[in-house]
Amino acid sequence: DVFMENYSIFISHSSQDKGNFVDGLVKEIQSLGISVFYDTDVIGWGDNLKEKIDSGLKYCKLAVIVISPSYFDREWTEYEIQKLLDRQDSEGGKLIMPILYKVKKEEFVKHYPSLQNIVFKYAKSQSRHKLAMELKNELDKKAS
């Protein structure tokens, strides 16, 4: 594979949510020593975007999906979530970790009916630090 570095967590998000929510979440996760595939940090000038993203999607241990109104019906977010759903279906086990940001469960399920039974977190119901700690626990469980 062109892109050998493995990231524990892939962050799928709309770029519109970076400043308000996602940047802070990523910093919290990284502060716990967890490697994060976050496009801002990982994809540089001249990189093959699709190759990089495909590799991140293929090798991550968990994928955090920040679902917001601007997540829906975007070319890249739809591409990422479809790839993750395919991988979750073929591998079984826990992969997709949805966080609902300014979105109700009904909207989330309407767009992604195959995720209706997956437990999600509401962004507003706990701090980014707490979300990061829970992700660390999930990674630790996977490792054991």
Side-chain angles (χ1 to χ4, degrees):
D1 207 296
V2 218
F3 177 56
M4 290 313 286
E5 192 174 348
N6 286 3
Y7 293 88
S8 294
I9 292 185
F10 185 97
I11 306 275
S12 180
H13 65 291
S14 155
S15 53
Q16 283 180 296
D17 301 319
K18 282 181 188 299
N20 294 330
F21 181 71
V22 188
D23 286 345
L25 178 64
V26 169
K27 282 190 182 70
E28 284 289 348
I29 297 168
Q30 288 170 332
S31 76
L32 299 174
I34 298 168
S35 61
V36 179
F37 184 106
Y38 187 37
D39 57 3
T40 313
D41 301 334
V42 174
I43 298 171
W45 190 1
D47 280 339
N48 179 322
L49 192 62
K50 188 169 176 301
E51 235 168 54
K52 281 270 196 174
I53 287 174
D54 281 346
S55 175
L57 292 167
K58 184 172 165 188
Y59 295 114
C60 66
K61 296 184 183 78
L62 292 172
V64 171
I65 304 188
V66 180
I67 305 278
S68 71
S70 59
Y71 188 92
F72 300 127
D73 308 320
R74 289 273 161 93
E75 182 187 358
W76 279 108
T77 53
E78 293 300 330
Y79 177 80
E80 289 168 1
I81 201 165
Q82 199 46 62
K83 285 273 195 192
L84 290 165
L85 284 166
D86 293 347
R87 192 181 143 196
Q88 185 162 275
D89 286 345
S90 67
E91 291 173 11
K94 187 183 287 199
L95 175 65
I96 296 174
M97 312 290 280
I99 297 175
L100 305 195
Y101 178 62
K102 299 182 176 174
V103 155
K104 291 189 167 45
K105 183 181 182 184
E106 299 72 49
E107 291 173 86
F108 168 55
V109 170
K110 190 179 85 186
H111 279 85
Y112 307 115
S114 57
L115 289 174
Q116 66 184 343
N117 297 321
I118 303 262
V119 177
F120 63 87
K121 298 281 183 187
Y122 277 116
K124 65 175 185 295
S125 66
Q126 53 199 211
S127 70
R128 283 175 267 206
H129 178 70
K130 180 124 180 359
L131 289 167
M133 292 298 289
E134 290 201 34
L135 282 167
K136 185 177 188 333
N137 290 341
E138 292 299 336
L139 284 172
D140 291 345
K141 279 187 220 165
K142 278 198 163 227
S144 60

